[in-house]
């Protein structure tokens, strides 16, 4: 009964072996026909022996997956195998559309909770609210269900119906909502607007198949309704996607004929140019980046920087200059295989780590890095991702703040706040009063947030080391006093981290009234990177000097 499945499994393994051998040809490993046949014969014998003679039945698919992952682990972390389920989910994320109800769910306190409702989609139309606890879907209880099981129940063919029963805090009876699924198109431009004076702002969260159309729509609407003095494009946490979308967006600001990106592989080199006149080649432009800005988003940033078309502000980007290509592995599975490197218009590679010596990667030493000139002659160095023209690193969140996020305390308090307050001020103006923050502090006392700091860990290590070396009794009094003073100081974290906690809580509460747009707008007032962008756009002299314009 297992023979057909074994044959299918072996086919997948053999395909990966062939590709692996091709990769290793760069390291002068022979891949002649006899070598391939020998490897395939060994693998065939290997799997047949396990299948026939091992002491118990083996999950061959599970073993295959472990073998594939281990083999690809010797390459780079972006070369990976995806099962059919993983492949389907990946392409859904890139397409940005699927049949569903338009809400995000999370497991909180062993319950399935509505974590986010997207404005205008079926869940929103049916009256579901963030914080609702889903108890039944089509009469089937969600108790004991895994998150992905509930998620699959919510998704389906557009036009089909489902019934959702929820418990809403402070409501005596459960609420039943009848919903018709629709095609859900998640936007890669979740927000655009005016942030200060006449400065436009566009948030771009990914490079999906419709990103360029969405950004163009936002840009044209901003230009039509305002006399823009500058534009900010926020690429923070944009991990990339389709290269062609990055090229199209770059062409909106970079005029026809200029280089946008080049790709170099083992067998071929390609160069992409701006092929159309720019939509706006002159508007002062600022790109925001952080450590999670990667891949196609770095291509866009590099094209803007090397053409001296705009200023980069924020943190150094991730540094992923590897080009991945999809290979069909059969049975719905696929492999993403690294086949080339991205290069910015000046010729610099943005890839930070070299994975061709080992699977963990090694950064290029400074002595081997090269300098390249932008269009106006500014120097930029390769193998470093994209280095901003103005580096602004947001303050790292405190351990307490991370705990409040991870334990959903901020989320749960915002749900209660919404139930007690029918309305709030506009998101940009909304702030919690001192009395309201004190109320949250009282709430926090009843909902403990236990978190460990690096100091906690070091004290544990010190105690353990002292015990093993026979010093614990000697230093015990001092250690006890140290822990006492440390705990007293740790209790002050709620006050020391007040600004960041208050800002995040205001964003969470604003999202209850104004959806994701409210969360974004509430965050503007505490965003040092955005403030720097507004400052630079407002100072034409600094802007031009930074880009070496009219030098």
């Amino acid at each position: 009964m297992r023979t057909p499945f074994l044959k299918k499994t072996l086919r997948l393994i053999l395909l990966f072996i062939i590709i692996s051998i091709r990769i290793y040809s760069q390291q002068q490993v022979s891949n002649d026909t006899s070598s391939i046949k020998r490897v395939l014969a060994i693998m065939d014998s290997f799997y047949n022996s396990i299948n026939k003679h091992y002491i118990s039945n083996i999950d061959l698919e599970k073993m295959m997956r472990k073998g594939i992952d281990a083999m690809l682990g010797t390459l780079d972390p972006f070369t990976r195998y995806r099962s059919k389920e993983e492949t389907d989910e990946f392409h859904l994320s890139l397409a940005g559309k699927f049949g569903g109800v338009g809400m995000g769910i999370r497991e909180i306190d062993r319950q399935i909770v509505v974590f986010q409702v997207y404005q205008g989609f079926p869940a929103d139309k049916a009256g579901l609210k963030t914080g609702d606890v889903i108890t039944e879907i089509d009469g089937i209880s969600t108790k004991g269900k895994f998150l992905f099981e509930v998620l699959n129940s919510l998704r389906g063919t557009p036009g089909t119906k489902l019934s959702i029963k929820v418990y809403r805090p402070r409501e005596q009876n459960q609420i039943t909502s009848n919903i018709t699924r629709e095609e859900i198109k998640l936007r890669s431009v979740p927000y655009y607007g005016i942030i200060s004076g006449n400065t436009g702002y566009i948030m771009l969260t990914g490079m999906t198949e419709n990103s360029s159309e969405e950004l163009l729509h936002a840009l044209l609407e901003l230009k039509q309704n305002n006399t823009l003095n500058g534009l900010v494009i926020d690429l923070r946490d944009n991990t990339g996607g389709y290269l062609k979308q990055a090229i199209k967006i770059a062409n909106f600001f970079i005029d026809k004929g200029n280089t946008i990106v080049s790709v170099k592989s083992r067998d071929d080199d390609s160069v992409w140019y701006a092929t159309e006149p720019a939509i706006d080649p002159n508007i002062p432009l600022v790109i925001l980046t952080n450590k999670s800005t990667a891949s196609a988003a770095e291509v866009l940033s590099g094209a803007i920087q090397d053409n001296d078309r705009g200023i980069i502000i924020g943190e150094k980007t991730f540094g992923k200059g590897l080009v991945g290509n999809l290979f069909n592995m059969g049975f719905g599975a696929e492999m993403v295989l690294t086949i080339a490197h991205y290069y910015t218009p000046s010729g610099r590679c943005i890839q930070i780590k070299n994975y061709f010596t080992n699977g963990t990667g090694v950064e290029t030493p400074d002595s081997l890095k090269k300098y390249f000139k932008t269009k106006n002659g500014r120097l930029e160095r390769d193998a470093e991702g994209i280095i901003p023209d103005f580096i602004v690193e947001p303050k790292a969140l405190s351990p307490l703040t991370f705990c409040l996020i991870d334990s959903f305390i901020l989320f749960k308090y915002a749900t209660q706040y919404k139930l007690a307050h029918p309305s709030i001020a506009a998101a940009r103006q909304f702030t919690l009063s001192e009395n309201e923050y004190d109320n949250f502090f009282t709430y926090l006392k009843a909902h403990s947030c236990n978190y460990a700091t690096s100091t906690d860990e070091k004290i544990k290590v010190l105690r353990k080391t002292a015990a093993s070396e026979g010093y614990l009794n000697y230093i015990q009094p001092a250690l006890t006093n140290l822990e006492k003073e440390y705990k007293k100081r740790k209790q002050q974290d709620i006050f020391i981290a007040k600004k960041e906690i208050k800002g995040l809580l205001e964003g969470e509460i604003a999202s209850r009234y104004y959806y994701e747009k409210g969360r974004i707008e509430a965050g503007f007032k505490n965003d040092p990177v955005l403030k720097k962008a507004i400052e630079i756009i407002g100072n034409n002299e600094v802007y031009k000097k930074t880009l070496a314009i009219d030098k």
Side-chain angles (χ1 to χ4, degrees):
M1 292 295 291
R2 291 192 292 171
T3 302
F5 178 75
L6 178 61
K7 289 181 178 179
K8 291 179 181 179
T9 303
L10 286 173
R11 289 193 195 108
L12 283 173
I13 286 291
L14 301 186
L15 284 171
F16 274 98
I17 292 170
I18 293 170
I19 292 169
S20 179
I21 291 172
R22 288 175 180 168
I23 291 292
Y24 274 91
S25 66
Q26 281 187 307
Q27 301 173 4
Q28 299 180 338
V29 177
S30 173
N31 73 337
D32 57 50
T33 304
S34 62
S35 177
I36 294 174
K37 287 182 178 179
R38 178 175 59 82
V39 172
L40 297 184
I42 292 172
M43 292 302 297
D44 181 70
S45 176
F46 176 79
Y47 270 90
N48 271 301
S49 296
I50 291 175
N51 184 52
K52 291 179 181 179
H53 305 300
Y54 190 69
I55 192 171
S56 61
N57 289 334
I58 296 297
D59 186 335
L60 291 175
E61 188 168 0
K62 185 176 180 180
M63 186 170 71
M64 174 196 73
R65 180 59 187 264
K66 285 188 175 182
I68 291 172
D69 289 343
M71 180 173 64
L72 297 184
T74 64
L75 305 178
D76 64 87
F78 308 105
T79 292
R80 64 174 71 93
Y81 166 77
R82 294 193 185 104
S83 65
K84 181 182 183 304
E85 293 75 21
E86 292 167 330
T87 296
D88 291 344
E89 190 68 27
F90 171 74
H91 287 287
L92 274 176
S93 68
L94 279 183
K97 57 186 180 181
F98 52 87
V101 299
M103 68 181 183
I105 59 174
R106 294 288 293 271
E107 184 177 345
I108 302 175
D109 298 335
R110 298 185 179 179
Q111 296 176 312
I112 304 299
V113 178
V114 178
F115 195 71
Q116 183 174 8
V117 176
Y118 296 103
Q119 188 173 10
F121 288 117
D124 183 33
K125 295 174 185 176
L128 293 180
K129 304 293 182 184
T130 301
D132 286 348
V133 178
I134 301 175
T135 57
E136 289 183 11
I137 299 177
D138 286 335
I140 299 175
S141 173
T142 60
K143 188 175 182 180
K145 297 281 187 182
F146 291 109
L147 192 66
F148 74 88
E149 293 179 281
V150 178
L151 184 62
N152 288 336
S153 298
L154 295 174
R155 289 179 177 176
T157 306
T160 57
K161 300 180 184 297
L162 75 160
S163 174
I164 298 179
K165 185 176 287 188
V166 302
Y167 163 73
R168 184 169 297 161
R170 297 195 182 184
E171 293 283 344
Q172 291 185 347
N173 300 317
Q174 294 194 55
I175 301 169
T176 300
S177 298
N178 296 308
I179 303 177
T180 301
R181 294 183 180 91
E182 296 178 8
E183 183 179 74
I184 307 301
K185 295 181 179 179
L186 298 180
R187 292 181 288 272
S188 55
V189 177
Y191 181 89
Y192 62 93
I194 300 297
I195 49 173
S196 177
N198 286 318
T199 301
Y201 171 88
I202 301 174
M203 176 181 284
L204 182 66
T205 58
M207 294 292 181
T208 64
E209 61 185 24
N210 296 314
S211 292
S212 60
E213 294 177 13
E214 290 182 39
L215 191 137
L216 179 59
H217 170 79
L219 173 62
L220 294 179
E221 187 169 308
L222 287 172
K223 286 170 64 68
Q224 181 180 347
N225 297 327
N226 307 274
T227 304
L228 298 182
N229 71 333
L231 178 67
V232 177
I233 298 179
D234 195 340
L235 296 183
R236 289 176 292 181
D237 299 320
N238 184 323
T239 56
Y242 288 122
L243 173 64
K244 289 184 178 179
Q245 293 296 308
I247 294 171
K248 285 183 179 180
I249 293 171
N251 196 176
F252 295 159
F253 307 99
I254 297 171
D255 231 337
K256 184 176 181 178
N258 289 290
T259 304
I260 292 177
V261 65
S262 60
V263 172
K264 298 180 182 181
S265 66
R266 288 169 57 189
D267 305 316
D268 189 27
D269 296 343
S270 303
V271 181
W272 278 269
Y273 301 93
T275 58
E276 303 291 336
I279 301 296
D280 195 331
N282 299 312
I283 188 172
L285 180 64
V286 168
I287 304 292
L288 307 185
T289 63
N290 68 2
K291 296 173 183 176
S292 297
T293 304
S295 193
E298 291 178 286
V299 169
L300 173 56
S301 303
I304 296 297
Q305 189 174 57
D306 279 12
N307 281 286
D308 293 306
R309 180 58 192 86
I311 289 175
I312 313 297
I313 298 178
E315 297 175 280
K316 183 174 78 170
T317 61
F318 184 83
K320 181 182 180 295
L322 302 178
V323 183
N325 201 9
L326 297 178
F327 290 84
N328 184 356
M329 295 289 100
F331 314 106
E334 68 182 15
M335 177 174 62
V336 186
L337 183 66
T338 297
I339 62 168
H341 281 106
Y342 290 126
Y343 292 80
T344 67
S346 67
R348 58 188 167 123
C349 183
I350 60 178
Q351 178 63 28
I352 287 181
K353 289 188 175 182
N354 179 0
Y355 292 100
F356 304 117
T357 54
N358 61 70
T360 58
V362 177
E363 290 195 16
T364 303
D366 286 344
S367 59
L368 297 180
K369 293 177 181 177
K370 299 177 182 178
Y371 282 93
F372 296 81
K373 288 185 177 181
T374 67
K375 194 173 184 179
N376 291 342
R378 298 186 299 143
L379 291 178
E380 300 289 350
R381 202 158 67 162
D382 71 346
E384 290 189 327
I386 303 298
I387 304 293
D389 302 296
F390 292 93
I391 295 177
V392 182
E393 296 184 348
K395 181 183 175 184
L397 295 179
S398 69
L400 171 59
T401 303
F402 275 117
C403 183
L404 294 175
I405 295 170
D406 293 343
S407 61
F408 301 104
I409 287 177
L410 296 180
F411 177 87
K412 288 185 279 191
Y413 184 79
T415 299
Q416 289 198 9
Y417 187 97
K418 172 64 167 64
L419 294 170
H421 300 80
S423 64
I424 62 171
R428 295 195 193 197
Q429 285 76 48
F430 171 66
T431 58
L432 288 169
S433 67
E434 289 301 314
N435 286 338
E436 287 175 322
Y437 188 77
D438 288 343
N439 291 338
F440 169 69
F441 181 58
T442 302
Y443 175 86
L444 183 58
K445 287 180 179 179
H447 299 78
S448 60
C449 190
N450 298 316
Y451 61 99
T453 66
S454 296
T455 302
D456 284 308
E457 297 304 317
K458 285 180 171 55
I459 289 175
K460 285 182 182 179
V461 171
L462 175 59
R463 182 178 288 280
K464 185 177 180 180
T465 304
S468 67
E469 294 180 346
Y471 296 119
L472 184 58
N473 289 337
Y474 175 73
I475 68 170
Q476 182 67 56
L479 193 55
T480 299
N481 187 56
L482 172 66
E483 290 177 317
K484 181 181 177 181
E485 292 301 315
Y486 166 64
K487 287 178 180 178
K488 283 172 60 178
R489 168 57 179 77
K490 193 175 178 183
Q491 289 173 354
Q492 301 302 309
D493 284 356
I494 185 66
F495 303 107
I496 294 170
K498 177 180 177 179
K499 183 177 179 180
E500 66 185 45
I501 293 171
K502 186 170 178 284
L504 289 170
L505 184 56
E506 287 168 351
E508 189 66 49
I509 290 172
S511 73
R512 296 294 197 276
Y513 299 85
Y514 305 110
Y515 302 88
E516 188 61 16
K517 178 181 178 181
R519 187 195 306 276
I520 294 168
E521 290 189 337
F524 286 164
K525 59 181 178 287
N526 295 315
D527 189 338
V529 182
L530 191 57
K531 287 180 180 179
K532 185 65 175 181
I534 294 170
E535 174 192 327
I536 295 299
I537 285 179
N539 191 327
N540 193 47
E541 184 179 346
V542 172
Y543 182 85
K544 286 187 174 182
K545 183 178 179 181
T546 302
L547 295 177
I549 297 174
D550 299 328
K551 186 176 179 181

